[in-house]
C-alpha cells in the first residue's frame, strides 16, 4: 500500500487528512511539532536545519500532504521563516523521490498583499510549482467542523454575551468549507497526476454579519450586532485574549476578512452546507473555547519510526 506523509497529522486539518488516507488504505507517517504519546503512526519531529533527518522522514513516501504553516508568530517563527521551512520540506521530498505533493494554501494568495500571511502563501505556492514533483495546490476558505477555531469561538462568544462587535459594516463575504469535505478533496487530488490549483469552498457564502446571525439562530441565542471601527474591535479582542490566554483574532486577520480574502466565486468543490452543519451540531458548538495557542504549543516529539 502507498505510504504518505502528512505534516501535522495530529493537528486540526492534518487529523482529518490522516483519517481519510487511512480509510482509503494508505499508510501514513508525519512530520510534526507535537504528537500524542500514543501516536499509532510513524512520527518524525521537524528538524529544518538537519536535511538528513528530513530525508529519513520522506524515505519511501509516495505523496506528501503539506499542511505546515504558521498563523502568526507565537513561538518566534515568522511567515518568512515558514516559507524557508517549507522550502526545506519540499527539497527533502524531492530528494527522496516523492512523486506528488498536495499543498494546503489559502484562497486569494498574493505576492503583493498587505498581509504578510498571504504574501508567504503565494511564495510557497511558487516553490511547490517549481519543486519538480507533480502537485495539487488546495486553497481552502474558512474551515468549519470538528475542533475549528473561528466559527466555534463565535458561538462561544454568543453564548456568553448579549452583543457582538462587528468590524465595519459586516457586509464583506466569506465562503466556509467543511473540514471532512476538505480532507476528502485533498485525498482525491493526491490520487491524480496532473498539476492543478483548486479552491476548496462549500456551496454557501455569507456576509460576516449574516454568518454570526446564522450561528446565533442555530444555538438559540439572541444576536445584537454592534458595528465598530476595526481598530476598536481589535482593542476589544486584545482584552479577550488576556481572558482566554490566546490570540483570538489579529488586526491583519480582521483586515483580511473585511477585504474578502476568504471569499471566491465559482462552483462549490465541497458539498456540505454550513447551515445543515449548524442545525445538526447546535447543542455542542461553542460550549468550550478552542485555543489556537494551546493547540500549537510545541512539545517534545520522539521519533517513532
Amino acid at each position: 500500500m502507498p505510504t504518505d506523509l502528512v505534516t501535522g497529522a495530529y493537528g486540526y486539518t492534518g487529523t482529518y487528512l490522516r483519517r481519510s488516507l487511512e480509510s482509503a488504505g494508505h499508510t501514513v507517517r508525519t512530520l510534526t511539532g507535537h504528537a500524542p504519546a500514543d501516536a499509532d503512526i510513524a512520527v518524525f519531529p521537524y528538524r529544518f536545519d538537519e536535511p538528513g533527518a528530513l530525508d529519513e522522514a520522506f524515505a519511501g513516501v509516495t505523496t506528501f500532504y503539506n499542511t505546515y504553516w504558521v498563523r502568526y508568530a507565537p513561538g518566534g517563527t515568522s511567515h518568512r521563516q515558514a516559507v524557508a521551512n517549507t522550502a526545506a520540506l519540499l527539497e527533502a521530498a524531492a530528494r527522496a523521490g516523492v512523486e506528488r505533493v498536495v499543498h494546503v494554501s489559502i484562497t486569494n494568495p498574493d505576492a503583493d498583499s498587505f498581509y504578510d500571511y498571504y504574501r508567504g502563501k503565494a511564495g510557497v505556492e511558487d516553490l511547490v510549482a517549481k519543486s519538480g514533483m507533480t502537485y495539487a495546490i488546495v486553497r481552502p476558505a474558512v474551515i468549519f467542523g470538528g475542533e475549528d477555531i473561528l466559527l466555534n469561538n463565535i458561538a462561544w462568544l454568543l453564548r456568553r454575551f448579549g452583543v457582538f462587535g462587528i468590524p465595519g459594516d459586516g457586509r464583506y463575504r466569506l465562503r466556509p468549507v467543511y473540514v471532512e469535505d476538505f480532507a476528502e478533496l485533498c485525498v482525491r487530488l493526491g490520487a491524480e497526476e496532473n498539476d492543478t490549483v483548486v479552491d476548496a469552498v462549500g456551496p454557501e457564502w455569507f456576509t460576516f454579519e449574516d454568518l454570526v446571525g446564522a450561528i446565533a439562530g442555530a444555538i438559540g441565542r439572541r444576536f445584537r450586532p454592534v458595528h465598530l471601527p476595526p481598530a476598536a474591535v481589535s482593542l476589544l479582542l486584545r482584552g479577550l485574549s488576556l481572558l482566554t490566554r490566546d490570540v483570538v483574532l489579529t488586526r491583519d486577520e480582521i483586515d483580511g476578512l473585511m477585504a474578502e480574502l476568504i471569499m471566491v466565486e465559482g462552483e462549490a468543490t465541497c458539498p456540505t452546507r454550513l447551515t445543515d452543519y449548524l442545525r445538526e451540531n447546535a447543542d455542542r458548538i461553542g460550549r468550550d473555547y478552542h485555543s489556537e495557542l494551546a493547540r500549537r504549543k510545541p512539545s517534545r516529539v520522539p521519533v517513532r519510526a
Side-chain angles (χ1 to χ4, degrees), residues 7 9 26 57 60 63 75 80 93-94 97 113 129 137 146 163 201 205 216 223-224 228 231 246 252-253 263 275:
T7 51
H26 295 224
T63 305
R80 178 177 294 182
S113 175
I137 294 172
V163 297
V201 291
W205 64 265
F223 168 48
R224 181 185 171 191
L228 298 169
D246 189 28
D252 278 343
E253 288 171 333
M263 174 66 196
T275 48

Side-chain angles (χ1 to χ4, degrees), residues 45-261:
Y46 288 128
R47 292 177 180 166
F48 297 111
D49 57 346
E50 297 183 31
L54 295 180
D55 291 347
E56 181 183 0
F58 281 106
V61 167
T62 302
T63 305
F64 170 30
Y65 292 84
N66 182 41
T67 74
Y68 173 78
W69 193 241
V70 291
R71 177 183 156 196
Y72 40 78
T77 303
S78 66
H79 292 121
R80 178 177 294 182
Q81 185 60 52
V83 174
N85 290 347
T86 306
L89 293 172
L90 292 167
E91 290 165 5
R95 283 195 303 270
V98 174
E99 298 173 8
R100 186 164 179 79
V101 56
V102 178
H103 171 67
V104 177
S105 187
I106 192 71
T107 51
N108 300 304
D110 183 356
D112 297 318
S113 175
F114 69 88
Y115 189 179
D116 191 42
Y117 183 109
Y118 280 73
R119 295 198 302 273
K121 283 288 191 180
V124 171
E125 287 195 7
D126 188 54
L127 291 174
V128 170
K130 296 176 180 177
S131 68
M133 296 174 282
T134 68
Y135 65 86
I137 294 172
V138 188
R139 295 173 170 173
V142 59
I143 300 176
F144 70 89
E147 300 297 310
D148 77 75
I149 296 288
L150 180 62
L151 272 62
N152 178 82
N153 290 349
I154 289 174
W156 184 84
L157 289 168
L158 289 167
R159 289 185 184 277
R160 285 155 181 80
F161 302 99
V163 297
F164 194 96
I166 301 287
D169 62 14
R171 296 178 183 174
Y172 36 89
R173 304 168 298 164
L174 64 163
R175 195 166 177 183
V177 59
Y178 183 45
V179 65
E180 292 189 17
D181 291 348
F182 163 75
E184 291 171 4
L185 173 63
C186 288
V187 173
R188 289 198 303 273
L189 292 171
E192 297 180 359
E193 297 180 354
N194 59 306
D195 296 336
T196 187
V197 180
V198 178
D199 289 318
V201 291
E204 297 175 308
W205 64 265
F206 302 80
T207 67
F208 183 69
E209 184 165 337
D210 287 345
L211 173 70
V212 178
I215 296 171
I219 64 176
R221 292 296 188 272
R222 292 186 178 183
F223 168 48
R224 181 185 171 191
V226 178
H227 295 271
L228 298 169
V233 174
S234 181
L235 185 62
L236 288 172
L237 291 176
R238 288 182 192 175
L240 184 60
S241 293
L242 295 175
L243 174 66
T244 60
R245 298 182 180 180
D246 189 28
V247 179
V248 179
L249 207 64
T250 68
R251 177 57 193 269
D252 278 343
E253 288 171 333
I254 293 171
D255 291 342
L257 180 66
M258 296 179 68
E260 294 194 339
L261 296 184

Side-chain angles (χ1 to χ4, degrees), residues 234-298:
S234 181
L235 185 62
L236 288 172
L237 291 176
R238 288 182 192 175
L240 184 60
S241 293
L242 295 175
L243 174 66
T244 60
R245 298 182 180 180
D246 189 28
V247 179
V248 179
L249 207 64
T250 68
R251 177 57 193 269
D252 278 343
E253 288 171 333
I254 293 171
D255 291 342
L257 180 66
M258 296 179 68
E260 294 194 339
L261 296 184
I262 47 177
M263 174 66 196
V264 292
E265 306 288 352
E267 295 293 324
T269 53
C270 297
T272 301
R273 299 166 62 90
L274 174 62
T275 48
D276 293 339
Y277 175 84
L278 291 174
R279 183 180 64 254
E280 295 165 4
N281 295 274
D283 288 344
R284 69 175 189 82
I285 297 172
R287 293 292 183 185
D288 300 304
Y289 180 84
H290 293 172
S291 171
E292 176 80 10
L293 283 181
R295 176 180 294 175
R296 294 186 178 274
K297 184 178 180 181

